[in-house]
Amino acid sequence: MEGYGEKSYFETSALSVGYNGLALIEDINFALGRGRILTLIGPNGSGKSTILKTLSRQIARIRGGAAVDGSDLFSMSAKELAKKQAVVLTDRVRPELYTVREIVSLGRYPYTDMMGRLTVEDSRIVEHCLELVNIKPIEHREFVTLSDGQKQRAILARALAQQPELLILDEPTAFLDIKHKLELLSILRRLARETELTVIMSLHEIDLALKASDLILCVKGDRAAAFGTPEEVLQKLPIAELYGLEKGCYNSELGSVELERPQGEAKVFVIAGGGYGIPHYRRLQRLRVPFASGILFENDVDAAVAKSLAESAVLSPAFEPVSESTLDEARRVLLRCESVIDAGTPAGSFNEKNGSLLALAREKGLLNGKYE
């Protein structure tokens, strides 16, 4: 099976995974080329870790196959596999008295002699991996004294020291703050591009998964629900459907989640545009005050958020002056609200009709900017 116009490096064929002979997820089929990042997404307990543990041979497959660079994954010797594949799991590693450099050096053991001795070349590779993930300055510190971000980079360096062609990671960002999440994913993207490292991982952060990955595999129920590029997957299976969202939604235009919109008829009308409205939308949402907004061009960032959070949003086609009929609709919506907020959007030739809304709000005594 070929993966998206390129030669397949890793692929599965009708693979079923589970425990004790019982298949939990069946007929998993995907293929990806060298230097590609595939991310598994799906609800907690959907089986992402089970798939990764099967691909890393931590647990036995139920049936089906998988191949690495044309070789059967499940018939390779442990030593052969260790030279092809490295694994980083979610379990917190707690080695006693090991330094960072010693931890990273463990990655060279598939290549050492029976005594486990490192050669000059092994040491050079360890040095390179320390520099690659930016932990060379702390190489002599004990591993247990590191922050979670530093520990994760050390474990990643250990995996890279194996010089794998395939890297499998189970929720590698699980214990990291946003700074270290971005650092880790940036390192993986750079390695995929520069060294053709193929990466298969799972992530809970949907926005990061869609931005960092070449391919996405959605896991839901007893099957892989969708596979493809992030853009293709969003069309095949909306995030709200994948996760069964009932409170809030996923904003595909911005690649972010939104909390549940306030319920009821709009009490506040926000005259906005150009991103000026979003801080007001979020505050109104936190206060649980239902609101409306307009007049917004359809390609406006305010429109993307208002469609998720506002009781109604008065929209106008992009790149065209606002029509009289759209202005009339905005007036009707504004006049059924108790107050009006001017978000401060600069006036231009295309959005000049928002000036009419401001004048109407002043005339009716509604322009007080109150949230309550």
Side-chain angles (χ1 to χ4, degrees):
M1 180 166 51
E2 298 298 314
Y4 286 79
E6 58 193 20
K7 184 178 179 181
S8 173
Y9 171 74
F10 185 92
E11 63 183 64
T12 63
S13 177
L15 180 66
S16 295
V17 303
Y19 296 91
N20 301 319
L22 178 65
L24 300 179
I25 307 170
E26 301 187 273
D27 294 327
I28 303 167
N29 296 282
F30 67 81
L32 63 157
R34 287 183 182 274
R36 299 301 185 190
I37 295 180
L38 167 67
T39 300
L40 279 56
I41 63 173
N44 284 338
S46 60
K48 301 184 297 297
S49 294
T50 303
I51 294 174
L52 295 180
K53 287 178 179 178
T54 303
L55 297 181
S56 59
R57 295 192 353 194
Q58 311 265 328
I59 58 176
R61 62 177 164 166
I62 302 301
R63 54 185 165 270
V68 184
D69 199 19
S71 299
D72 181 6
L73 172 70
F74 300 108
S75 64
M76 298 172 70
S77 70
K79 190 162 188 177
E80 286 177 315
L81 185 62
K83 292 180 180 180
K84 286 278 188 183
Q85 179 192 101
V87 182
V88 177
L89 299 178
T90 51
D91 300 332
R92 289 182 184 249
V93 180
R94 296 184 178 86
E96 299 296 331
L97 303 179
Y98 274 77
T99 65
V100 170
R101 188 181 186 90
E102 289 168 339
I103 288 289
V104 178
S105 297
L106 293 174
R108 294 305 301 162
Y109 283 148
Y111 303 90
T112 58
D113 59 22
M114 293 182 62
M115 301 297 292
R117 290 173 292 201
L118 299 181
T119 65
V120 172
E121 177 63 10
D122 290 325
S123 297
R124 185 195 66 78
I125 292 170
V126 168
E127 190 87 4
H128 174 66
C129 292
L130 287 165
E131 293 172 350
L132 202 60
V133 301
N134 302 317
I135 55 170
K136 182 72 170 65
I138 59 171
E139 64 176 315
H140 298 301
R141 282 182 54 182
E142 290 188 5
F143 183 83
V144 293
T145 68
L146 305 183
S147 69
D148 285 336
Q150 291 169 329
K151 287 178 180 177
Q152 194 72 329
R153 278 186 286 164
I155 296 302
L156 176 60
R158 182 187 67 179
L160 296 176
Q162 289 179 229
Q163 293 186 299
E165 297 174 1
L166 172 66
L167 180 61
I168 294 178
L169 308 102
D170 190 8
E171 297 180 31
T173 60
F175 305 119
L176 306 184
D177 59 30
I178 187 61
K179 175 180 184 291
H180 293 105
K181 289 179 195 288
L182 295 177
E183 283 183 356
L184 178 64
L185 293 176
S186 295
I187 290 169
L188 293 177
R189 278 255 50 114
R190 187 174 77 248
L191 290 172
R193 183 180 67 253
E194 296 177 357
T195 70
E196 290 196 322
L197 177 68
T198 302
V199 178
I200 302 176
M201 64 179 173
S202 63
L203 287 178
H204 276 305
E205 300 89 348
I206 302 304
D207 57 334
L208 294 179
L210 296 173
K211 292 166 185 172
S213 310
D214 299 298
L215 296 165
I216 297 288
L217 182 71
C218 298
V219 184
K220 183 180 182 182
D222 61 355
R223 296 185 183 276
F227 169 71
T229 66
E231 296 75 21
E232 290 170 338
V233 163
L234 287 177
Q235 290 183 346
K236 294 176 187 175
L237 183 65
I239 295 299
E241 182 181 337
L242 174 63
Y243 286 89
L245 298 183
E246 297 178 356
K247 301 291 185 180
C249 65
Y250 177 80
N251 190 321
S252 59
E253 294 175 82
L254 299 181
S256 60
V257 293
E258 299 289 353
L259 297 177
E260 184 181 20
R261 77 177 71 204
Q263 300 301 304
E265 292 188 0
K267 296 182 179 180
V268 177
F269 189 93
V270 184
I271 301 174
Y276 287 76
I278 292 176
H280 299 281
Y281 301 162
R282 301 234 185 272
R283 181 172 171 84
L284 289 164
Q285 193 280 335
R286 291 194 297 271
L287 293 172
R288 312 305 300 156
V289 177
F291 66 94
S293 187
I295 301 170
L296 306 171
F297 293 111
E298 291 174 338
N299 64 341
D300 196 313
V301 65
D302 275 352
V305 177
K307 284 185 287 186
S308 295
L309 296 183
E311 182 260 344
S312 63
V314 181
L315 304 179
S316 179
F319 311 115
E320 296 181 10
V322 176
S323 68
E324 287 297 328
S325 61
T326 300
L327 176 59
D328 288 341
E329 178 189 356
R331 285 171 174 156
R332 287 193 296 271
V333 176
L334 183 150
L335 289 174
R336 63 180 171 84
C337 294
E338 298 173 3
S339 65
V340 175
I341 294 171
D342 175 11
T345 302
S349 57
F350 273 21
N351 72 338
E352 61 183 356
K353 285 188 168 57
N354 275 355
S356 298
L357 294 180
L358 286 170
L360 178 61
R362 291 192 188 96
E363 176 190 335
K364 299 298 183 181
L366 298 174
L367 192 61
N368 53 31
K370 291 184 179 179
Y371 293 106
E372 294 76 22

